[in-house]
Amino acid sequence: MNEILNTVITLLPISFVSAIYIYAVVQLIKLGLNFLKYADMGTRVQSLLNTALNETSGERIKIIKFHMPKQTLDYIPYLFMSCQYEAFREGKEPAGHILSRIPIAPFIKFLEDLRDKYVILDPQNRDPIVSPIGYELVIAREESKTLCVMLKNSTYKPIGYISLNKHGGFSENDIEIMMKLSKELGSLLEFWDDTDCKAVKKFSFTPK
């Protein structure tokens, strides 16, 4: 009996160290898988934005994500929104940093206008039906017209919106491309944990 007890006492520290080692290895594997998951998501987002920008002959596409959820019954239960991804043509400058941690509350009416449709913002020819403050989001310097479409997750909850900047007007084909893009991006960004929104802009690139 004493021999068994001594053996158990001898093996306990080894088992404890082994358990810690296995736990650490498992956690590292999980971190690695998460990194690969988000790296893959970023690559797919980049490809989708590149394709859409080329197909529409646009100047810039931005993904605006909502973050910092709040426990309310509001249609958009978030506190802030920030530009998380953008694609732009050669010669353009990044604009994502301008749209960082913008309070959502003042823009609720504009965002509700996006509920089930798209909105076109043209500062030179303002639509009286569109919430005036929405035009404040047409930021990027020489860019004049913006097509905005809501991003929704699998339960149709708004998680952000996408915007296309383009000189001239938007064709029906442009609108169809952006509506399709919003559905594809919604499924990709649904589980993205960006509560604290540390990184304002994940990717920017110039399509060929």
Side-chain angles (χ1 to χ4, degrees):
M1 184 66 179
N2 288 335
E3 291 181 0
I4 296 175
L5 184 60
N6 289 333
T7 301
V8 171
I9 292 173
T10 302
L11 292 176
L12 276 176
I14 299 175
S15 300
F16 180 72
V17 172
S18 298
I20 293 177
Y21 175 77
I22 292 172
Y23 176 79
V25 170
V26 170
Q27 294 305 310
L28 287 173
I29 291 173
K30 286 182 178 180
L31 287 173
L33 290 175
N34 284 335
F35 175 80
L36 291 175
K37 171 186 173 183
Y38 289 114
D40 178 62
M41 183 188 75
T43 300
R44 293 173 66 186
V45 169
Q46 175 175 340
S47 177
L48 289 170
L49 292 181
N50 261 335
T51 299
L53 201 60
N54 282 325
E55 289 180 346
T56 59
S57 298
E59 299 300 314
R60 187 191 307 273
I61 290 181
K62 297 188 291 289
I63 298 179
I64 309 297
K65 282 286 272 102
F66 304 145
H67 55 97
M68 294 190 69
K70 58 180 181 178
Q71 299 299 317
T72 68
L73 297 177
D74 296 342
Y75 175 63
I76 302 176
Y78 297 91
L79 293 177
F80 299 97
M81 55 184 174
S82 291
C83 178
Q84 296 295 301
Y85 295 81
E86 63 174 331
F88 46 87
R89 292 281 174 185
E90 184 176 359
K92 296 289 184 181
E93 295 293 331
H97 63 284
I98 302 174
L99 295 167
S100 176
R101 291 182 65 84
I102 297 176
I104 282 180
F107 297 94
I108 285 295
K109 176 61 173 63
F110 163 70
L111 295 173
E112 287 180 343
D113 289 340
L114 288 174
R115 185 188 299 258
D116 299 310
K117 59 184 184 301
Y118 60 87
V119 169
I120 293 177
L121 300 172
D122 181 0
Q124 304 303 319
N125 186 24
R126 300 197 175 201
D127 186 341
I129 297 178
V130 177
S131 175
I133 199 169
Y135 290 93
E136 300 300 322
L137 294 173
V138 183
I139 298 289
R141 303 175 179 93
E142 76 279 10
E143 295 161 346
S144 58
K145 294 185 180 179
T146 303
L147 169 63
C148 301
V149 181
M150 188 68 81
L151 283 172
K152 297 181 181 180
N153 63 16
S154 59
T155 60
Y156 299 100
K157 176 183 175 181
I159 58 175
Y161 71 91
I162 52 176
S163 66
L164 169 67
N165 295 108
K166 183 178 178 180
H167 295 301
F170 297 102
S171 66
E172 289 296 325
N173 188 51
D174 293 337
I175 295 170
E176 290 178 7
I177 289 170
M178 291 296 285
M179 296 295 283
K180 178 183 177 183
L181 179 63
S182 71
K183 293 179 181 179
E184 294 172 323
L185 290 174
S187 62
L188 281 176
L189 304 178
E190 178 172 4
F191 302 107
W192 178 23
D193 182 11
D194 60 345
T195 304
D196 56 1
C197 200
K198 291 180 180 178
V200 172
K201 179 170 63 67
K202 300 288 185 178
F203 297 93
S204 64
F205 46 87
T206 301
K208 297 179 180 179

